[in-house]
Amino acid sequence: MHRPLCSRTLPVLVVCLLSFWFNGAVASLDGLCPPLGPVLPAPKEPSSNLNVQAALKLFKESVHNVTGSFNKSAVSIGVQSIHESAPMFEYHFTPPELDPRGVNKVDSNTVYRLASTSKLFPVLSVLKTEGMDLNDPITKYIPDLRSLNEHAREESPLWTVDWDDMTLGSLASHLGAPADLPMDLTTDQEIDWTEIGFPSIEDSLHLNCSLLGDPPCDRTVFWKLFGYRPPVFPPFTTSVYSNVGFALLGWAVESVTKTRFSDHVRNTIWEPTGMDHTFDSKPDDSLGFIPVNSKWWDATIGYEKAAGDYYSCLSDMIAFGISILKNQQLSPVKTRRWLKPVVSTSASNLLLGTPWEIYRFTNDTVDGRLIEIYTKMGNLFHYNSILVLIPDYGIVIDVLAAGPETSGGTLLEIITSAIKLLIPAFEDAAKDEARIAYAGTYTDTDSESSITLSLDDDGPGIKVSNWKVRGSDVFKSFAKVQTAFTHGKPPEDETVRFRMYPTGLETETQSSWRGVWTIGTPEELAEAESQFIWPMATCNTWAQLDRTQYGLQSQDHFIFTVKEVEAGKKAVSVEFPAYRVTLERQSSSMYTTHGEDSQKPLSHA
């Protein structure tokens, strides 16, 4: 008898939801709900995979469609795996109309402006500087900020910024500081703003500086005028994009290191990473792509330099992204902490980190699971950039563009095409490699134990079937495990599925995996899911993992022992710690398996 579907009455809905939390997890397709993150090890040789090659060819065609009408704009694009030594994809478009000051042919060393992608550097500098912590109040490093409130219209929460409640982390995630000074309309003195309703303002409130840097708005202007700006929200309420916050992070680093911030970034990040075409101010014109008659190649945003004033090239930014994912900038645990969301936004698909813009989607893989990509975009009128990290697959993508025919939307169009085409291909590459590394039958004759592991086209992770321990069918015994603490009658004829996922815990010879039980047919689970107002309401794997233990070891825990062979690491055995048995992989399945419970090699495009 199948599990009864949830009724639409609220009390039963609550009970049903709790039941699914502990007895099975549901996602958008077939009811499968893997843990957030990689469901297989990232492919080690994605560029050699035929599916990836075909996807890259289609991606190149899509980029041609974007740039085909450009006459004055340049684009550079790179895609590289952290496991490979060179980009699997590189593309440069040189427009027919060029400013003679700059390069006459765009390549991987052509310098563009990074704009707000620069914001990664002050945050990383805080994380790398001993003694600094994102939970520290900014006034620990810049106590004079309190004096800005002397210029406030009145002493009240409406008009004074609570700088003591502002932390380095809140500034890094746009959770508190007012936005800008240089964007004040009065800096454009070619327009009479009183003609459209604005009043004349007293001379003391004019910045007398320009976003174009003629003259630049320096720190004197900040200390003189920023106190007149009221708060937008209390700290840690909701995000408001702020360039000022990143200038303050740079100044805080200076107060600790006693070094000019740009010099500190060069010494601790750029030079160790080999970023020799990255600059804190305008480099020689001959190094850069300069749109015809563009004013933005030379412009400086003054005291907000750390927020958006840096210059770099494709090869340097790809190297920087790889250094992050390979834990070369920070320790592995600090990198994992940095690549996490901090705050949600009014867009359900967008979270913010420090300062990552994190996009989430469920419509790019056949299993419909949730995937996150970590990005930082920059826009400075004619210059646009975006760095994209895809941790699940160990992939870095960078796009740099400049010219009047480009915008932030151009970059998002390119990145969207890359994601739609490449992630399914990387998924195929990961499955191809995992099939060779793990798929097959494992047995231990002495204990009458066996398990079959396979990979299929439309499911995440590794599928488990024919799982027996000491002659007992684990799938059939699962119902009894469910009732261990309730002592009720085990449900009958339930559909029970089980899949395994990597945890990232590994040594040279062993790797730890965890499994997720899914109870019910896809139809039953879809019906249960439909009864909730929010999406993926019953996808609660986070509350299910490591719950069922025997002798202090979890039933969902697996440990593979691997050895190095010519084609890479291959599993030779798998241990079930809760059952205290280790099964050997059958030699005939070391490279591929076929049959009812094993997926044949994927057909390549």
Side-chain angles (χ1 to χ4, degrees), residues 345-372:
T345 71
S346 51
S348 61
N349 68 320
L350 178 63
L351 305 175
L352 298 181
T354 51
W356 303 105
E357 292 133 17
I358 306 158
Y359 292 96
R360 318 180 93 202
F361 46 88
T362 59
N363 58 354
D364 201 47
T365 59
V366 292
D367 55 44
R369 73 179 186 276
L370 182 65
I371 291 177
E372 292 181 339

Side-chain angles (χ1 to χ4, degrees), residues 505-512 559-562 569 573 575:
L505 297 168
E506 57 187 17
T507 66
E508 284 295 313
T509 59
Q510 291 190 311
S511 65
S512 173
I559 298 176
F560 285 102
T561 296
V562 299
K569 289 184 177 180
S573 66
E575 177 188 354

